[in-house]
Amino acid sequence: MRRWGVDARGRSAWRRGWLPAALALLVGVLLAGHALLPNRIGRLGSLLETFLPWLGAAVPVLLLPALLRRSVAALLALALPATAWLGLFGAALLPGDGSGGGITVVQHNVSDTNPGPAGTAGALARVRADLVGMQELTAPALSAYAAVLGRDYPYRSVHGTVGLWSRHPLLDDRPLDIRPAGIGPDWNRGLRATARMPGGDVAVYVAHLPSVRFGLPDGFGTARRDESAGLLARAIDAEPLATVILLGDLNTTVHDRGLAPVRELLPSTAPAFPFSWPAALPVARIDQVMARSVTVADLWTLPATGSDHLPIAARLGR
């Protein structure tokens, strides 16, 4: 039976298992210092931050060889990624505090190839949210969404391929120009409206940032998405209302530096979990609810619809 002392080759528990120890330290450094990874080559920083929670999977994977090798060095090294991961994502493992409830919202990219828009609309309506934000609306499917949601949501704003349904009056609704350079005027994936809520007026933004593409020479191609995020941030920065809610398929996670301009203006958002995309096997949450002057107290996913995204719902409160 192998002992924690000297092994057959004369190595102590401190002198063996250096490979899992080194890998554990590397994972810990990436978790703790992800913001320091440069984005100049292939946008590697954004790529890492998109899938940052998954680095935590290295801890149980590396724990096995550490135990098999009876390596004290490897076990101690694993404390770094474990601590860093819990610092970043541990709060997401805790249940919602239940302090929300002032405003309930739903966000969903319904997919422009959704085969059952009426069923999707019914699933969203069952949440009985105050606001429902949607992306990838198509002209043929719009009547189905309007017919179902119109029963409980008498107010709506639709511009281009994004829409907002509300239980409360919507005022001053208008398209929001977040087009990256070189995109034609028929590309309209943003809107802004004032929702007259019982607690006061709220500025509601619905946005769909450009998709990310992999390929040469850009690697993780986020340039257009990041440019669109900057335009969205500029509009929010100029928003005169104190309370702002953003519902969007932002094609990025909350830790991605590409979202930093928006995140600085809308500091309240849910942690990385739960994941919303792709619906068949979610690996990241690129659908977001973000806010200013109210707190995103709880966020959860809804059952799959005919979309490649899962819907998300959130409770917001003061």
Side-chain angles (χ1 to χ4, degrees):
M1 180 176 178
R2 300 185 64 179
R3 298 172 298 149
W4 282 93
V6 177
D7 65 9
R9 297 174 59 183
R11 296 174 302 179
S12 71
W14 290 94
R15 295 181 55 196
R16 59 180 178 256
W18 285 107
L19 179 58
L23 292 174
L25 291 175
L26 175 61
V27 172
V29 168
L30 289 174
L31 280 165
H34 62 88
L36 301 178
L37 186 67
N39 233 6
R40 295 177 182 176
I41 301 176
R43 305 268 174 169
L44 290 178
S46 283
L47 177 60
L48 173 66
E49 289 160 347
T50 298
F51 301 103
L52 197 60
W54 289 99
L55 286 183
V59 174
V61 170
L62 293 174
L63 179 62
L64 181 61
L67 291 173
L68 291 175
R69 298 296 300 276
R70 306 296 200 273
S71 172
V72 173
L75 290 173
L76 289 178
L78 280 168
L80 176 60
T83 301
W85 192 92
L86 287 173
L88 288 169
F89 306 110
L93 304 179
L94 301 175
D97 60 15
S99 62
I103 302 173
T104 303
V105 301
V106 166
Q107 147 62 28
H108 192 27
N109 178 326
V110 296
S111 175
D112 54 12
T113 60
N114 191 322
T120 295
L124 303 183
R126 283 193 288 274
V127 181
R128 301 189 61 79
D130 296 281
L131 303 166
V132 178
M134 302 164 67
Q135 298 80 36
E136 292 199 15
L137 292 170
T138 63
L142 181 58
S143 59
Y145 290 116
V148 176
L149 292 174
R151 302 167 192 164
D152 297 313
Y153 298 88
Y155 309 98
R156 75 174 186 184
S157 172
V158 176
H159 293 281
T161 58
V162 297
L164 174 66
W165 273 260
S166 174
R167 293 183 182 275
H168 312 285
L170 295 177
L171 312 172
D172 192 25
D173 71 294
R174 58 180 183 270
L176 183 68
D177 190 356
I178 54 173
R179 290 174 299 154
I183 300 297
D186 57 338
W187 190 94
N188 188 350
R189 290 165 52 160
L191 68 81
R192 183 265 179 214
T194 298
R196 184 138 288 174
M197 310 291 289
D201 287 354
V202 176
V204 183
Y205 289 75
V206 181
H208 185 189
L209 300 188
S211 299
V212 173
R213 297 287 184 260
F214 289 91
L216 297 174
D218 298 328
F220 191 55
T222 66
R224 282 185 169 177
R225 184 205 65 191
D226 294 351
E227 182 183 353
S228 189
L231 295 171
L232 176 60
R234 187 182 305 174
I236 294 170
D237 192 37
E239 173 58 54
L241 291 180
T243 303
V244 177
I245 297 173
L246 169 63
L247 309 174
D249 172 4
L250 304 185
N251 272 305
T252 183
T253 63
V254 292
H255 288 95
D256 188 341
R257 67 194 66 183
L259 195 58
V262 177
R263 193 172 58 242
E264 291 170 0
L265 297 169
L266 303 178
S268 181
T269 185
F273 309 125
F275 299 148
S276 67
W277 177 88
L281 185 64
V283 297
R285 197 182 80 242
I286 60 176
D287 299 276
Q288 308 296 347
V289 175
M290 307 177 72
R292 179 177 78 194
S293 295
V294 289
T295 300
V296 182
D298 195 13
L299 184 145
W300 64 99
T301 54
L302 302 175
T305 67
S307 171
D308 57 339
H309 292 239
L310 293 178
I312 62 172
R315 282 188 288 267
L316 300 92
R318 299 289 179 181

